[in-house]
Amino acid sequence: MHYLGLALYAEGRTDQRFLGPILRRLCGQVCAESPRPVEINDEILMLSDTQESKTERRAERVLSAARHAQGAWSLLFVHADADGDAIKARQERVQPALDRLRGAFDQRVCQSVAVIPVQTTESWLVCDGAALRQALGTTLDDKALGLPASAKAAERLADPKACLEAAFRASHAGGRRRPLATVHARLGALGEQVALHRLRQLVAFQGLESELRQALQAMGVLDPT
């Protein structure tokens, strides 16, 4: 039996709310391929900056948060929105943290994985019109909601947040205008609903799953391919 304690260090609380369910579902699906039983924690642990590290560089903040929760996690996801430049986001905001984590923890029992949407997390949320309609409680089709024509087109959006907000407004046409915070609260369950097969059409998500599989192989959860 393998036990996986999942944790996430994200850029913001909105990202935590969206990404947490997606990452846990992905891990569950991938771990189903293991020749051995795998138990995963019911809710992904959300890491936050410790008081003593708040003025440090991001890599040190991630390391401090990971050490503070040591023993409660074995697989840590480190998130950063690419904002159109995935290479820069990885080099500046993710890889230094991964390097620090890999130098501080036994890689046979603790692994870390990058989560870098091409623009922002919202690009993952607008790729599945059916899930979005369920979350918004609307029957409007993708075109009426202003959604991209395909999952891949979602990664080419210059402003996924604006696309998500526009879909929310379209679904509530004629109603009282609601603030962005209300949009995010209403879509909190979307991470549970968006189809993984849709996400797997996104280049960034493919990269995430590939790294996840490598991490699980290093931990002995998955057999080497």
Side-chain angles (χ1 to χ4, degrees):
M1 167 74 76
H2 284 282
Y3 174 76
L4 277 182
L6 306 183
L8 169 64
Y9 185 98
E11 289 191 325
R13 291 187 178 181
T14 297
D15 301 302
Q16 291 178 346
R17 188 159 56 242
F18 292 157
L19 288 173
I22 291 173
L23 295 172
R24 192 189 183 285
R25 289 170 55 215
L26 176 63
C27 280
Q29 197 171 97
V30 173
C31 287
E33 302 172 17
S34 174
R36 294 161 289 278
V38 181
E39 182 181 348
I40 302 175
N41 51 331
D42 292 334
E43 291 188 14
I44 192 165
L45 176 65
M46 301 301 175
L47 301 190
S48 57
D49 294 340
T50 60
Q51 188 63 38
E52 60 271 19
S53 71
K54 287 188 176 181
T55 60
E56 300 290 339
R57 293 181 181 272
R58 191 172 199 251
E60 298 304 322
R61 299 200 309 271
V62 174
L63 178 60
S64 180
R67 281 178 167 159
H68 186 73
Q70 189 168 359
W73 65 272
S74 51
L75 186 61
L76 172 56
F77 295 95
V78 180
H79 159 257
D81 286 336
D83 298 322
D85 192 339
I87 294 176
K88 181 178 180 181
R90 177 155 198 138
Q91 289 177 341
E92 296 184 355
R93 287 180 280 152
V94 176
Q95 194 60 48
L98 298 184
D99 291 342
R100 296 291 281 128
L101 291 166
R102 288 164 184 169
F105 295 94
D106 185 346
Q107 297 300 285
R108 294 169 296 179
V109 294
C110 293
Q111 284 281 326
S112 49
V113 175
V115 183
I116 310 175
V118 167
Q119 284 289 350
T120 62
T121 304
E122 283 79 2
S123 65
W124 290 9
L125 302 178
V126 298
C127 76
D128 185 350
L132 194 56
R133 274 186 286 279
Q134 184 176 349
L136 293 175
T138 182
T139 58
L140 294 177
D141 62 18
D142 288 5
K143 185 175 181 180
L145 289 172
L147 299 180
S150 66
K152 290 185 178 181
E155 283 194 312
R156 295 194 294 267
L157 289 173
D159 192 346
K161 290 183 180 181
C163 179
L164 184 59
E165 293 171 41
F168 183 85
R169 288 195 299 271
S171 69
H172 292 79
R176 181 171 59 88
R177 183 181 178 87
R178 303 186 185 190
L180 180 58
T182 304
V183 179
H184 287 161
R186 183 71 178 272
L187 297 176
L190 188 55
E192 297 283 3
Q193 299 162 350
V194 62
L196 293 181
H197 76 267
R198 295 283 294 180
L199 290 171
R200 284 189 168 105
Q201 297 176 40
L202 307 176
V203 173
F205 196 83
Q206 293 168 11
L208 161 64
E209 183 169 1
S210 177
E211 286 194 37
L212 172 61
R213 288 178 177 278
Q214 292 174 25
L216 293 173
Q217 289 170 8
M219 298 170 71
V221 176
L222 296 181
D223 288 341
T225 54

